[in-house]
Amino acid sequence: MMPFAGFAPDIVPTADGVLPACMNIVPTLKGLKGIPSAIDTALPALASECRGIVLARKLDGSTRAIAGTQTKLYDGTSGTSWTDVSRAGNYIGGAENLWRFCQFGDATIATNRTDAMQASTAGAFADIATAPKASIVETVSGFVMAFDTSDGTYGDSPDRWWCSALYDHTSWTPSIATQAATGRLVDSPGNIRAGKRLGSQIVVYKERSMYLGTYQGAPIIWSWQLIPGEIGALSQECVVDIGVAHIFVSHDDIYLYDGSRPVSIGAPLKEWFFAGDLNQTYKYRTKGVHDRVNSVVYFFYPSKNGGGEVDSYIAYNYKSQKWGYGMMTIQVMAEYISGSVTYDTITGSWTYDTMPAIAYDSPFWLAASPILAFVNTANKVQTLTGISGSSSITTGDIGDDDLYSTLTKVRLQAIKAPTSATLTHYTRPTLGGTLVTRTSSSLTDGKFDVLWSARWHRLKIDFTGDYEITAFDPKAVADGVN
């Protein structure tokens, strides 16, 4: 058996197990699966485009779902309706200004850089009077941190950082006594694009540089170390915190940073991604999210031919170190906590035939389980918890430059078999030649039957339904040398 090596369009196509093409594939610890389909939540559509959504956890473990449009903030904690929790007078926002959030104790902090920074422990949000306007907020070591700011004293300061008073998100006037402070990061050019906690430290990203911030106490408060190399991040949404490290999209590669040095993880696809499929005009719209249950980081991005909409994704399993790819159009991503719904506690008029098509082993059925959710182009929150729809993999080239071989069958190793699968067999006389479609066959008894002689063979397998595959075994008989 030949184990699947994941989506790797930049790797030579004769390497064992590589997939030069795939669609709607997610890498698992053991192999590959189709991405779950989208299922509607009970929340109605938002009134307009969603500019940010968060599930905030309070100190008692309860959660609060907050979503923002250009002019309003809404609370969807009930799971069935949106409650307007905007400040009096609503918000101005901007053409593409995003809402970004952090949680400080029981207080949910929201910012969009155009309006005053907001806070709420329950009910409506209100201005934090002394806080700067900011593009980015984050909590670390007892502080709320703000980046890329504007305020009445220093004006527009895209390279400036602020921290609130220690353990007080309402106090921002610089003071040694309270440890509220501000400063600029000027050892490298550009504005601050992202700021994410890493343990007790914080990592700040510009487009082509990174700083590691460490709390020092008064009078220094925070010290900043410039990380060597011209590596940065495209935006706040391009940096995903997986707990022990950040995985992020830079201007020309994808990296993992654990506090020591950034390590490239994008080699199997970075040329295809950055020089090919990523829309360079709208690349700042790329949005990452962490599927903690499955150890997968997704980056949803605007494709080159998509007109600026976020319509595609790449997915990285950081335990198996494999990639996947697919297409799905979203506005924003968020982690979502499902309610305590189980097969035993279903109420209402659901029957076996009318239940949503959710896999039996989906996190949806686990009480308060984190699952992936997104807001679609109809402003509706959906979860990625349904049965996988259509997906496919395309193998690399199997064969030899001189030797003809007859491919007789292809056996598929599956931990969970798909509902159905169809193999399409392609051949070509040379690696640089044109692929010619030969035969197709359906999965029967764990294998596909084929019969064709060629120097090089390539296989595409189309799947429906949930599955997990680990390897394949193409059986070929040598014909002779030509």
Side-chain angles (χ1 to χ4, degrees):
M1 285 285 183
M2 186 183 299
F4 290 112
F7 180 52
D10 289 357
I11 304 300
V12 59
T14 54
D16 287 349
V18 302
L19 304 180
C22 67
M23 181 55 67
N24 297 337
I25 292 296
V26 178
T28 69
L29 183 60
K30 299 174 183 176
L32 305 168
K33 68 177 183 178
I35 191 170
S37 61
I39 297 292
D40 279 346
T41 66
L43 286 164
L46 288 162
S48 58
E49 178 190 0
C50 186
R51 298 290 184 86
I53 185 169
V54 68
L55 189 76
R57 291 172 178 80
K58 293 188 172 185
L59 293 175
D60 63 2
S62 63
T63 56
R64 190 181 186 199
I66 304 295
T69 64
Q70 179 175 337
T71 60
K72 289 184 178 292
L73 289 170
Y74 295 93
D75 189 322
T77 306
S78 69
T80 57
S81 64
W82 294 108
T83 300
D84 187 347
V85 289
S86 309
R87 71 177 183 191
N90 298 326
Y91 306 103
I92 299 171
E96 286 200 54
N97 287 44
L98 298 176
W99 282 105
R100 287 162 175 159
F101 304 90
C102 68
Q103 189 70 12
F104 188 76
D106 285 335
T108 303
I109 313 296
T111 191
N112 68 3
R113 204 179 194 275
T114 300
D115 297 280
M117 192 182 298
Q118 301 291 293
S120 169
T121 56
F125 281 79
D127 294 355
I128 304 176
T130 59
K133 297 176 181 179
S135 288
I136 300 158
V137 285
E138 178 65 295
T139 56
V140 60
S141 298
F143 295 92
V144 177
M145 306 287 293
F147 304 97
D148 180 11
T149 62
S150 175
D151 67 279
T153 301
Y154 300 103
D156 184 39
S157 302
D159 56 14
R160 182 172 293 278
W161 62 269
W162 285 77
C163 68
S164 69
L166 184 63
Y167 299 116
D168 186 355
H169 69 279
T170 67
S171 175
W172 290 80
T173 302
S175 165
I176 295 298
T178 66
Q179 299 193 51
T182 185
R184 297 173 64 199
L185 300 178
V186 294
D187 289 339
S188 61
N191 63 306
I192 294 173
R193 299 291 186 93
K196 283 286 178 78
R197 177 178 57 217
L198 185 59
S200 62
Q201 298 173 297
I202 189 162
V203 186
V204 174
Y205 299 83
K206 294 186 176 183
E207 184 180 12
R208 302 199 180 200
S209 60
M210 299 167 55
Y211 295 81
L212 184 63
T214 304
Y215 173 59
Q216 301 287 358
I220 296 173
I221 318 298
W222 285 91
S223 65
W224 301 94
Q225 175 192 353
L226 179 64
I227 306 302
E230 291 192 2
I231 299 170
L234 297 179
S235 71
Q236 178 78 351
E237 291 69 35
C238 287
V239 183
V240 176
D241 180 3
I242 62 170
V244 296
H246 293 172
I247 294 177
F248 63 95
V249 179
S250 187
H251 68 283
D252 64 351
D253 204 347
I254 304 169
Y255 293 90
L256 183 146
Y257 179 65
D258 63 3
S260 54
R261 62 184 180 87
V263 176
S264 170
I265 59 172
L269 49 62
K270 70 175 185 178
E271 183 177 349
W272 168 87
F273 181 67
F274 289 98
D277 207 49
L278 178 64
N279 188 315
Q280 293 297 315
T281 301
Y282 298 103
K283 62 184 178 182
Y284 62 90
R285 294 179 178 174
T286 300
K287 296 169 172 63
V289 67
H290 183 201
D291 179 356
R292 295 181 295 160
V293 173
N294 296 299
S295 305
V296 173
V297 170
Y298 291 82
F299 290 107
F300 289 81
Y301 65 93
S303 67
K304 181 173 62 176
N305 299 318
E309 280 193 321
V310 178
D311 61 359
S312 302
Y313 74 84
I314 51 175
Y316 180 69
N317 188 300
Y318 51 83
K319 291 186 176 178
S320 66
Q321 300 181 359
K322 295 176 183 176
W323 289 93
Y325 162 77
M327 298 189 73
M328 180 178 294
T329 301
I330 69 161
Q331 288 183 5
V332 292
M333 291 295 301
E335 181 184 77
Y336 182 82
I337 294 291
S338 65
S340 319
V341 180
T342 69
Y343 279 109
D344 296 326
T345 60
I346 292 174
T347 60
S349 58
W350 278 8
T351 68
Y352 182 83
D353 294 326
T354 61
M355 275 194 244
I358 300 173
Y360 77 93
D361 56 353
S362 168
F364 177 88
W365 302 111
L366 305 178
S369 178
I371 55 182
L372 289 185
F374 66 98
V375 180
N376 64 17
T377 53
N379 308 327
K380 189 84 169 59
V381 177
Q382 296 184 303
T383 61
L384 289 178
T385 50
I387 294 172
S388 181
S390 299
S391 57
S392 69
I393 60 170
T394 301
T395 71
D397 294 291
I398 304 158
D400 188 273
D401 279 325
D402 294 318
L403 182 67
Y404 274 81
S405 60
T406 297
L407 189 66
T408 60
K409 67 179 179 182
V410 178
R411 186 163 291 280
L412 189 67
Q413 187 177 79
I415 296 172
K416 181 177 183 178
T419 302
S420 65
T422 301
L423 179 143
T424 303
H425 180 205
Y426 304 91
T427 68
R428 55 182 169 184
T430 62
L431 281 178
T434 301
L435 288 167
V436 178
T437 304
R438 296 305 185 184
T439 61
S440 65
S441 59
S442 298
L443 182 65
T444 305
D445 192 28
K447 63 180 175 64
F448 303 95
D449 292 316
V450 293
L451 189 66
W452 205 277
S453 177
R455 290 197 187 100
W456 293 103
H457 305 266
R458 182 174 285 204
L459 313 170
K460 181 185 180 186
I461 306 176
D462 290 279
F463 302 94
T464 60
D466 285 338
Y467 62 90
E468 185 174 13
I469 55 174
T470 59
F472 71 111
D473 186 14
K475 297 292 188 182
V477 178
D479 294 338
V481 176
N482 186 3

